[in-house]
Amino acid sequence: MKIALGIRWQLFLIFVAVVVVTIGAISLFISSTASSQIQHYEYGKRGEQMARMRELLLRHYLDKQDWEGIQASVEQMGQLYGWRVMIVDQGGTVVADSTKSSLGEKLDLSLYAHRWGMREPPEGTSGEMSEPPPLFLPILASSGGKIQRLGYLVVEPKSTEEMPKIPPPGQFWESRIAELRNSIVWSVVWGGLMGIGLALLLAFFLSRRITAPVQSLVSAARGLGRGDFSQRVAVKSRDELGELATTFNSMAAELERADKLRRDLVADVAHELRTPLSNIRGYLEGIQDGIVKADEATLKLIYEEVQLLSRLVEDLHELALAESGGLSLDKQVCDLRELAQDVASATGYRIAAKGLKLKLELPELPALVSVDRQRIGQALRNLIDNAISFTPEGGEVTISVERTGNDVSASITDTGTGIPPEDLPYIFERFYRVDKSRSRASGGSGLGLTITKRLIEAHGGRLTVESTPGKGSRFTFTLPAYREGNKSDSS
């Protein structure tokens, strides 16, 4: 199961990863360097201890002029440092052994020298003494500018990790401290540089993962700004960027549909205006050419076409006012039952002329609302006209009013052709017709339902529709019920 993380958590994890990588790289360098330096310290410490032992042994020999009595000191050294310590004279005889196991035995010094790679300075040479190899130290005395070998200090550590390196006398701690300081400084520098490099690399790839959807959105938005409403972005996550991409796609789809409606609006307005204007022009040209008489019947036809034009222009003007919030409402308290009866009486002749039945379902108690009576009456007429237009002969139109809680609702139900499900979301759009033909007889101008919805919403109500193809439709608008002490002034 894929877990969706928000941008905040993604950024948090990125910062944590960068910090961990940086600190990890620095820590790796420091720990490696520190481990190496600690080991060097240990080696140096062991070497210093051997140098001290050699100094003590040399003093003993110089005081006694012999190795007599050195066994006790060697045993103490072995116990103190945990090594096997031996003193071998110039002839190769073991004169002291901390384990006492080889006392008096002869050692083949060449084997030791070969084992540790030792190269001894020839006896009697002068000059600086080179640093002797580990574990096998000649005990030397300087006399008259010449070096005299007194014997050998042989140390056998428990493991190779204890092999010491002998620094020049008096320089052990100074050299170790300087070496440690320099090593740590350089390890921090190189570790920091590597950590920064890894952090930059990690940040680059992770930032691309976050910014790629943003760049895609920017590119799509630019295309949208140029008028290409087909722009869409891929939704690759469920975080904030995924939600933004989804919202962008929805917006682009709405803009594409709005642009299509705009083009359709221009075409529809042109069509709606063209037909009556063409009729009027034809009648006037006929009168001018003497083909048509300018009698009462002709003037009546011209007047009807002018009325149609006037009604279309008035509808467009009223819709523009409603959508801009500039519609003036003269609110007053009225009974929605009475208003429904009045509208039913006014449209009764049309219902009867088409061979339809009219049914009223009104409550016994008043259904008071504070509304602009003329505007709500217009909304009712539009809904009834719509029901009449799409209900075949022999059908039925039902007008019902109901009081539910703090609301009052009115419904107009017909037994007409119904509305396909794919058309339901768009029937309140301007000039949208379920019947795609442009016949005003079947579809009108396409503004009635749009104006009705805007009028209802201007009163704080809502308009809904339910429809089943082949069985009919039910339009219901709901308004806030009037309550005593809460009168509404004209607005």
Side-chain angles (χ1 to χ4, degrees):
M1 180 178 178
K2 190 175 181 180
I3 300 176
L5 294 177
I7 296 297
R8 182 178 63 179
W9 284 107
Q10 290 186 39
L11 291 174
F12 172 76
L13 292 177
I14 287 174
F15 291 145
V16 169
V18 170
V19 170
V20 168
V21 168
T22 305
I23 295 178
I26 295 175
S27 300
L28 180 63
F29 269 87
I30 292 178
S31 63
S32 176
T33 302
S35 176
S36 175
Q37 289 302 313
I38 288 172
Q39 191 175 33
H40 290 166
Y41 263 105
E42 187 66 24
Y43 291 165
K45 180 181 177 182
R46 296 298 186 184
E48 184 76 6
Q49 289 169 350
M50 289 188 67
R52 289 176 182 174
M53 285 191 292
R54 182 171 60 178
E55 292 296 326
L56 290 174
L57 295 172
L58 180 59
R59 287 181 190 175
H60 179 89
Y61 188 90
L62 293 177
D63 288 342
K64 303 288 187 177
Q65 292 299 315
D66 200 326
W67 292 116
E68 185 179 354
I70 197 62
Q71 176 64 29
S73 298
V74 170
E75 290 180 7
Q76 290 178 357
M77 292 176 184
Q79 292 175 359
L80 178 62
Y81 299 123
W83 295 338
R84 181 187 180 185
V85 181
M86 293 184 294
I87 305 297
V88 182
D89 64 12
Q90 297 183 43
T93 302
V94 178
V95 296
D97 184 355
S98 60
T99 62
K100 301 180 180 179
S101 60
S102 299
L103 282 174
E105 294 183 1
K106 279 276 191 178
L107 293 181
D108 186 353
L109 298 180
S110 63
L111 292 178
Y112 276 86
H114 177 73
R115 177 181 176 187
W116 300 110
M118 182 186 75
R119 291 182 181 178
E120 302 178 24
E123 185 174 357
T125 59
S126 61
E128 292 186 5
M129 294 184 293
S130 61
E131 179 179 337
L135 300 178
F136 191 81
L137 298 178
I139 303 173
L140 306 174
S142 179
S143 175
K146 293 185 179 182
I147 298 174
Q148 180 184 3
R149 183 185 302 111
L150 305 178
Y152 300 93
L153 169 62
V154 180
V155 175
E156 294 185 1
K158 296 178 181 178
S159 63
T160 57
E161 284 75 12
E162 295 183 355
M163 290 171 54
K165 294 180 180 179
I166 311 300
Q171 297 182 11
F172 170 68
W173 293 112
E174 293 81 356
S175 62
R176 291 294 97 189
I177 290 173
E179 186 177 352
L180 177 62
R181 181 177 62 249
N182 294 335
S183 297
I184 290 178
V185 168
W186 282 109
S187 67
V188 170
V189 171
W190 287 111
L193 292 176
M194 176 171 283
I196 291 172
L198 291 174
L200 290 175
L201 191 63
L202 181 64
F204 174 75
F205 284 108
L206 293 177
S207 62
R208 282 193 62 185
R209 182 179 180 276
I210 291 180
T211 57
V214 177
Q215 293 174 346
S216 177
L217 278 169
V218 170
S219 177
R222 287 174 180 168
L224 207 63
R226 291 191 295 266
D228 182 7
F229 299 112
S230 64
Q231 292 287 335
R232 299 293 186 274
V233 293
V235 181
K236 298 181 179 179
S237 63
R238 292 184 293 175
D239 54 18
E240 291 87 345
L241 288 177
E243 293 179 5
L244 181 60
T246 302
T247 303
F248 177 87
N249 290 338
S250 299
M251 179 190 68
E254 288 297 321
L255 288 174
E256 187 175 25
R257 189 172 65 85
D259 183 63
K260 182 178 182 301
L261 288 175
R262 178 184 61 81
R263 293 194 299 269
D264 292 345
L265 170 64
V266 174
D268 289 337
V269 169
H271 176 80
E272 297 297 333
L273 293 176
R274 184 184 299 113
T275 302
L277 284 174
S278 298
N279 291 338
I280 293 173
R281 181 179 179 180
Y283 286 130
L284 291 177
E285 288 178 350
I287 293 173
Q288 188 177 14
D289 295 340
I291 299 175
V292 179
K293 294 182 179 180
D295 54 14
E296 183 178 352
T298 303
L299 293 176
K300 183 179 179 181
L301 291 174
I302 295 175
Y303 178 76
E304 288 178 354
E305 296 295 336
V306 171
Q307 284 289 94
L308 179 61
L309 280 173
S310 177
R311 186 163 57 250
L312 178 59
V313 172
E314 185 63 28
D315 284 347
L316 287 170
H317 177 68
E318 191 167 6
L319 181 60
L321 288 176
E323 290 183 339
S324 65
L327 191 65
S328 177
L329 299 177
D330 182 16
K331 289 185 178 181
Q332 55 184 299
V333 179
C334 68
D335 190 345
L336 195 58
R337 298 178 307 168
E338 297 178 357
L339 183 58
Q341 285 178 328
D342 293 343
V343 173
S345 299
T347 56
Y349 76 96
R350 287 192 59 204
I351 294 176
K354 194 172 181 180
L356 305 177
K357 297 179 182 178
L358 176 63
K359 183 178 180 181
L360 287 174
E361 296 179 350
L362 306 176
E364 296 181 359
L365 297 178
L368 300 180
V369 289
S370 177
V371 296
D372 185 321
R373 184 182 179 90
Q374 180 180 354
R375 300 294 188 185
I376 296 302
Q378 180 184 357
L380 277 169
R381 283 191 296 274
N382 286 344
L383 293 176
I384 293 172
D385 288 344
N386 186 72
I388 294 172
S389 298
F390 291 96
T391 303
E393 183 178 354
E396 183 178 83
V397 176
T398 302
I399 304 173
S400 60
V401 176
E402 185 180 5
R403 171 72 183 265
T404 55
N406 296 324
D407 296 324
V408 175
S409 61
S411 299
I412 289 81
T413 307
D414 63 63
T415 57
T417 56
I419 304 170
E422 62 272 16
D423 291 315
L424 277 177
Y426 310 115
I427 61 172
F428 297 117
E429 298 289 345
R430 291 175 294 184
F431 291 103
Y432 188 86
R433 295 194 189 96
V434 175
D435 183 358
K436 296 303 186 290
S437 67
R438 297 182 184 273
S439 172
R440 291 190 300 278
S442 63
S445 66
L447 293 175
L449 290 178
T450 307
I451 293 174
T452 300
K453 186 174 186 293
R454 297 294 186 269
L455 291 176
I456 297 301
E457 290 175 347
H459 286 82
R462 61 186 181 277
L463 176 62
T464 59
V465 59
E466 301 172 6
S467 184
T468 303
K471 294 185 178 181
S473 304
R474 178 184 178 89
F475 287 83
T476 302
F477 67 83
T478 303
L479 298 169
Y482 171 77
R483 290 176 294 175
E484 292 291 340
N486 188 24
K487 296 182 179 180
S488 299
D489 298 330
S490 297
S491 60

